[in-house]
Amino acid sequence: MNQISLVIPLLMLGAACGKKQEPAAPVLPPLPPLQLRPLIDVLHAQAKAIARPGEAVQRELDELAAIALKPSEVDPRTATRAERALLGHDHALAVLEPALKHAEAAVRARAAWLIGRSGQPLGVFPLLFRLKYENDPQAVLWLADALHRLGNHAGLPWIDGAMGVEATANDAGQIAIGICKDCGVAVQEQPTWAQLQAAMQDLHKAWRLTGLVARCTATAPPADAVAARVAAHLVTTQGTLLRPVDEARWVLTRGGQLMVPHLRAALVAEEPYLRTMVLQVAAELGKTAAALAEPILPLLGDPLTAPYALRALGEIGATQFAEHLVARLGVVDTEVRAAAAGALGVLGHAAATPQLQALLADEQEILDVRVQAAFALALLGDAGGTAFLQERKLKGDYHVPMLERLLERLPKAK
Amino acid sequence: MSLGIRIGIVVILFAVLGSGFAWLQGGAPGAVRATRWESARQCQECHQDVYEEWRQSHHAIAFTNPEVRRPDMSDDFRKEECMDCHLPRPLAHTGFGKRTLPRRTHFDEGVSCITCHLAADGGILGRNDRPDVPCKPRASAEFLAVDACASCHNQHWTTDQWRASHYPQKGEDCAHCHMPHVERRRADLSTRIGRGHLWPGAHDKNMLAKAGKFTVTRQDAGVTLELENIGAGHNFPTEERHRAVDMMLRFLRADGSATDWQLVHRCRQPYRDEPGENTQLPAGQKVAFTVPIPADAVRAEARLWYRLTPFCDDQDPRSTLLEERTIELR
């Protein structure tokens, strides 16, 4: 007995003499099983299934497009007929999509206008893609207008911006009034620029939350056609070239609800770049991608993609899974601890405040994790979090752009 | 033995064991929490010289370099896909030669020791098996192969260019030029041969000057500028599309006046939306251009410039003068 009573304090002493020991592994709530499977070949096959017209139909469409894209070069009656025939054609995108890259800005603008009036929501894909590169101010406006008509409000910030530029203000204002009417937003008889800009901002905010356009009349496209388009973007992540990935991300993160069901499948991709891409897109889509919470959850058990999964769960507002995030504040992987901490703040999970405060106070903890804990606490209204971030900024001992990006996300003090 | 002595012995034993165990787990007090290998600072403790070299390299500043963060580049990494290579997770986690994944920690370490040396199982990869040292590196052929660089550096086909060249036959890989042999001193002051961790390349004038052989000769009524890729095992220039090598020429008159500098030829791969062909110079190939000599010219001056972006002028620090030649024409 004497020896036992001697050994116990000595063991404690021995442990205390060493450096801080590894914390005991946290007990993690059980996860649904992770069932990954190869997907890249499936996606390549899907991408190849983007519908193309046969040769004869293509010729007919080319003729119609030649007239409809440059209506001033023919008599008005012919132009109207060609336009009507083109807009009623199932394969109109086969000629309008390439026209978005035409050398003449007026043709590109006209192509966007026609796609908007075609009522074919698949047109969202080429319109969004073009929005990334279009430099002509007028063409940009018609791209944004067309997107609205097809149920996508990703272009509204461009309309908002164009109202502040003299050359485009009138057209942008007209388009904005039309959008307000379509969406049931009350506008005065002669609204001010500021009112219209505020309306665009509100509508865009609503779009960011839901990924849907109120009172949109565009018909839903066939699911397999959307899947093919989404697949064509996802396969770009297979290679090492970044530009196509950048383009894919641009389109997918602006696609709203249209994309969400088709992203789900890639969450079980065995290829890490595919499921990472989807997780990053989901995080960017925010609450629009809330439906992805359940399929994302098993990825918390995947060492490669768990950090992205945590961030995505935070951004899409998966409050139902907050306990999984809290449990991961104590895991050994720094990437995971940091991601879990930040995500809890984004989720607004106030119950995690004590654990986050403990992380923040732990001077042995890696600074990346403490900064994320501080960010989370700041989002939860804890002044200590904000003070820690400000202190880092003042001392310059943490990566400045990252710190600034976190500070930008904090609610502004009133 | 009295109880006091026995307690004393056991206390000392536990203290030593405790400290030793903690050291094996992760290094000196004040270092990052060493739950596992995740920061270059952990490597610094034993490999100070390599760490210092790496700190001066462009790998170390891959994520912090203001040049990379410009709006027309990564836009402060708002283009998230740039992070895959500028702030990568360990290559072995995703597979050497495969697409990398980005991390969100250790922002000031860019591409670090961990990126290349950390094994998928959390161990350390190296040139040799060394079970006798704290990090216990294991020899890995994959880690030493060109694929280790390809994950990021084949972004613009640099490793493909190397494969298509005669360099593989020569047995000269990326490390041959970019990680030359250096002498390292061990803790016991003995020496060994290791590899440099500075990766000289587009930002190193000596390295650039070795890539191209620039000659200027008079050919009848013209001046011929010739550039041969004699030193790069890939295109010259390679990597990003904004890298450019310019052959410039001007003529001087007897009164001391001079013509404007004219761009005789630019070696560069155009941007995707830019017209023109890829004029990068593959390994072992040469280009030559002859410019007619004006009647009043007495001398010709030729310069070979390397530019980090195609839009910077000669005064811009992003332009490096590699060669300057003057020939008398009288």
Side-chain angles (χ1 to χ4, degrees), chain B residues 237-276:
Chain B
T238 188
E239 290 284 342
E240 289 96 339
R241 292 166 188 259
H242 24 263
R243 304 287 194 248
V245 173
D246 289 347
M247 296 157 76
M248 310 280 290
L249 180 72
R250 74 171 179 175
F251 293 99
L252 286 90
R253 305 180 189 93
D255 62 4
S257 63
T259 62
D260 288 336
W261 283 102
Q262 61 168 304
L263 177 63
V264 177
H265 181 66
R266 165 166 278 183
C267 299
R268 185 182 153 234
Q269 183 182 17
Y271 293 122
R272 282 188 0 150
D273 307 322
E274 196 180 8

Side-chain angles (χ1 to χ4, degrees), chain A residues 3 6-7 10-11 13-15 17-23 129 132-133 236-247 249 272-273 276 280 284 303-308 311 331-335 337-338 359 362 364-366 368-369 372 398-399 401-402 404-405 408, chain B residues 3 6-7 10-11 14-16 18-19 21-23 25-36 38 63-64 69 75-85 89 93-94 97-108 150-152 154-157 271-273:
Chain A
Q3 281 167 330
L6 186 65
V7 166
L10 284 174
L11 277 173
L13 182 62
C17 288
K19 195 168 163 276
K20 180 174 177 177
Q21 294 305 296
E22 198 65 53
F129 187 87
K132 179 167 170 50
Y133 292 109
T236 61
T237 55
Q238 185 181 17
T240 53
L241 294 184
L242 293 182
R243 179 71 78 96
V245 182
D246 179 36
E247 291 166 346
R249 197 190 305 271
Y273 49 85
T276 306
Q280 290 171 328
E284 193 72 22
L304 267 185
T305 49
Y308 317 109
R311 256 176 240 118
V331 300
V332 73
D333 187 330
T334 304
E335 282 280 328
R337 288 201 307 282
L359 270 186
D362 181 357
Q364 293 267 341
E365 179 56 275
I366 289 185
D368 295 305
V369 180
Q372 287 298 325
Y398 194 69
H399 186 59
M402 191 51 63
E404 281 174 354
R405 206 170 299 174
E408 270 170 26
Chain B
L3 183 63
R6 279 195 295 178
I7 289 174
V10 175
V11 164
F14 272 102
V16 168
S19 307
F21 184 64
W23 176 79
Q25 275 201 312
V32 287
R33 185 163 76 172
T35 48
R36 53 189 205 161
E38 57 181 38
F63 192 68
T64 52
R69 306 189 75 95
D75 193 14
D76 242 345
F77 287 97
R78 282 180 178 85
K79 292 176 185 165
E80 276 192 58
E81 57 281 0
C82 299
M83 288 172 72
D84 294 10
C85 283
R89 296 182 72 185
H93 287 194
T94 37
K98 298 213 173 117
R99 187 181 186 79
T100 55
L101 293 177
R103 65 175 197 271
R104 290 289 184 109
T105 54
H106 303 290
F107 297 107
D108 59 337
S151 290
C152 290
N154 209 31
Q155 174 61 221
H156 293 290
W157 307 288
Y271 293 122
R272 282 188 0 150
D273 307 322

